[in-house]
Amino acid sequence: MSGFDWPALMRAGVQGLRLRPDEFWRLTPAELRLMLGQGGASAALSRTGLDALLEAYPDRQRGECDE
């Protein structure tokens, strides 16, 4: 036994994600899990987190303007 429920995975990929069979078979298990929303990714960046990044890594120096 492989440990994978191939029929269910193929249904999720081909029917659920609308992948063509060749696209499905080129995916790694980790890529498929991520596409199905099962990846261990962290939460999306919040506005507070974005503001902190902008403060830490500004596009311009303070006082600099476009010319």
Side-chain angles (χ1 to χ4, degrees):
M1 194 91 188
S2 70
F4 289 104
D5 183 355
W6 288 110
L9 290 173
M10 291 176 69
R11 273 192 304 280
V14 175
Q15 292 176 348
L17 297 173
R18 304 235 184 256
L19 297 171
R20 292 188 317 262
D22 64 307
E23 293 171 324
F24 173 83
W25 289 112
R26 282 195 307 248
L27 292 172
T28 66
E31 291 169 330
L32 183 58
R33 286 188 62 201
L34 184 63
M35 291 176 76
L36 292 172
Q38 299 174 356
S42 59
L45 183 63
S46 66
R47 182 63 203 203
T48 303
L50 177 59
D51 289 341
L53 283 173
L54 290 170
E55 181 68 28
Y57 303 100
D59 289 335
R60 297 188 194 109
Q61 298 298 320
R62 294 198 190 277
E64 185 181 347
C65 63
D66 292 331
E67 292 186 31

